[in-house]
Amino acid sequence: MMPAHTPRPAHYPPAAPLTAEAILAHPDFPEARRVFIAEHRKVYDSEVFPGRFGADVGRVTTLAIIVCLYANYVRADRETWPTLTKLKTTVARFGFASPRLIDTFVARLVQTGDLVLRKQPDDSRVRLLCPTEKLLAWDREWMAAHYAALDLLYPEPGFPLARQRDAAFQTAHAKCAIDAFDGIIAMIWSNMDLVFFLSSTSALIILLSVLDRSGADAENHFQESDLGELAKSFSVSRSHIRNILAAAQEIGFLTRSGPRKTLWQLTPRLVSAFDRFIADSLVHSDVTYRLGLRGLAEAGAATVAA
C-alpha cells in the first residue's frame, strides 16, 4: 500500500519528460517551491559557494561548465580539452559572463583550491582546468538541490542517484548535460522578467527568499530590515539589497505601502514569474537526469563489453 503522504499516481512522471504546466498543477507544488528555495539557499550561501563569491547566473553556469568540460575530456581529442578558451566560448553561449569575469573567477577558484591548472601531457603550452574534489563535492550538493523538489513531487521512481550525491552519476550527468545546453539557454532567456535578477549578484536567491518568507502570499508584508540575514548569508551589502528591491518594484514585482513607505509587499506578478522559473528549472533537471541515466547505462554497457 502506498504511504498516505505520497502524491496520487496520476501525478507520477509519465514516460515522456515532465512539463512546466504539469509541475505547476501538481497539488504539492507549494511545498516543492519551499524545498527548492531552501535547498538553493544552502548551496548559494557565500560560506560554501566556490570562490566565496555571491552567486549569479554567470558564475553558476561557469562552474557547471567547468565540471561538464572536464567530464568530457579525452586526452587524444584536442577538441575536448577543458581549456580557459573553451570555457569562455561555452559560457558565452549563455550570454551572462564576460571574458574578464571568467578570468577573475577562475583565478579566484584556483586561489581557494576549487580548481587546478594542469599541463596537457601532449602539449605543455596548454593548461587544463581541472576541478578539485572540493569543487566536485559542491557540484554534487548543487545537483542534489535541483532534484530535492522533484523528488518530493515524484517520489516514484524518484531521483535517487542525484539525491544520494552518487559520483558515477555525477560524471555521467556532466558528460550528457552539454546536450541540454541549448534548451537551458532558451529557458533562461524566455523568462525575460528575471534576466536582470539572474545576472545581479545574489539577486535571484534573495528574491526567492522573499517569496518564501511571504509564503507566496501577496497579503504579507515585510520591511527592508527583515532582510539583514540575507545580506550576511549571500555576502552582499544592505544597499545592494535595497537596489534589488527597487529594481523589483520598478517592474511590478513589489509594491510599497504604510507609513513612509517602509512596508514591502510582493505582487502576483512576482509569484507567477518565479513559480514559472522554478517549474522550468525542474523540467530541465528532469531532462538532464534522464540523459545522465542513459549515459550511466551506456558507460556500464561499454565496461561490460570491454
Side-chain angles (χ1 to χ4, degrees):
M1 179 178 294
M2 194 183 317
H5 69 275
T6 57
R8 297 186 297 277
H11 295 290
Y12 281 15
L18 297 173
T19 66
E21 288 71 25
I23 291 170
L24 289 168
H26 196 292
D28 290 337
F29 178 76
E31 177 62 12
R33 179 207 295 126
R34 187 195 66 76
V35 169
F36 181 94
I37 296 171
E39 292 295 314
H40 280 77
R41 283 193 62 171
K42 293 176 186 176
V43 294
Y44 290 156
D45 188 293
S46 60
E47 288 298 310
V48 300
F49 189 74
R52 298 290 183 92
F53 279 115
D56 59 48
V57 71
R59 293 190 181 109
V60 170
T61 54
T62 297
L63 292 170
I65 290 168
I66 286 171
V67 174
C68 289
L69 293 181
Y70 186 72
N72 282 280
Y73 167 53
V74 177
R75 176 175 169 176
D77 184 357
R78 179 178 287 269
E79 291 300 313
T80 70
W81 292 359
T83 63
L84 182 59
T85 297
K86 189 172 182 63
L87 174 65
K88 290 178 179 179
T89 300
T90 309
V91 174
R93 293 170 56 189
F94 287 79
F96 284 98
S98 68
R100 179 175 294 183
L101 182 147
I102 295 171
D103 283 335
T104 301
F105 192 36
V106 165
R108 177 63 176 173
L109 293 174
V110 171
Q111 183 181 21
T112 56
D114 293 286
L115 194 63
V116 173
L117 303 181
R118 295 200 177 108
K119 290 182 180 180
Q120 163 61 24
D122 303 311
D123 188 341
S124 61
R125 298 168 300 175
V126 176
R127 294 294 182 271
L128 305 180
L129 306 179
C130 303
T132 64
E133 175 54 29
K134 180 181 178 183
L135 176 53
L136 292 173
W138 178 85
D139 181 71
R140 288 191 292 272
E141 294 300 321
W142 180 70
M143 182 173 64
H146 279 77
Y147 291 100
L150 277 175
D151 216 39
L152 182 151
L153 295 175
Y154 305 107
E156 296 294 338
F159 302 83
L161 295 178
R163 294 294 295 146
Q164 293 165 8
R165 287 79 167 164
D166 185 274
F169 177 75
Q170 176 189 29
T171 299
H173 183 273
K175 284 184 175 180
C176 298
I178 288 178
D179 293 338
F181 280 2
D182 287 343
I184 294 170
I185 293 167
M187 179 274 287
I188 290 174
W189 285 96
S190 70
N191 287 276
M192 286 302 295
D193 279 349
L194 301 185
V195 166
F196 170 79
F197 304 105
L198 286 166
S199 59
S200 179
T201 301
S202 298
L204 180 69
I205 194 61
I206 286 170
L207 285 183
L208 282 170
S209 298
V210 167
L211 175 65
D212 186 50
R213 178 189 294 272
S214 300
D217 186 348
E219 295 302 313
N220 290 332
H221 297 84
F222 67 93
Q223 297 185 60
E224 183 185 319
S225 59
D226 296 333
L227 307 183
E229 62 173 298
L230 301 182
K232 180 179 180 180
S233 293
F234 304 120
S235 194
V236 296
S237 65
R238 289 179 178 270
S239 62
H240 183 69
I241 290 180
R242 195 173 303 120
N243 290 337
I244 291 170
L245 297 179
Q249 180 186 15
E250 187 174 340
I251 66 168
F253 276 179
L254 296 172
T255 60
R256 301 180 74 170
S257 62
R260 304 178 65 181
K261 302 289 185 180
T262 57
L263 297 179
W264 291 90
Q265 188 173 10
L266 56 85
T267 67
R269 182 178 177 185
L270 180 148
V271 177
S272 176
F274 278 85
D275 279 357
R276 182 71 194 199
F277 175 78
I278 291 171
D280 283 343
S281 297
L282 296 181
V283 164
H284 286 283
S285 293
D286 177 55
V287 169
T288 56
Y289 191 84
R290 294 170 190 264
L291 288 172
L293 288 179
R294 187 181 70 190
L296 198 60
E298 291 172 352
T303 300
V304 170

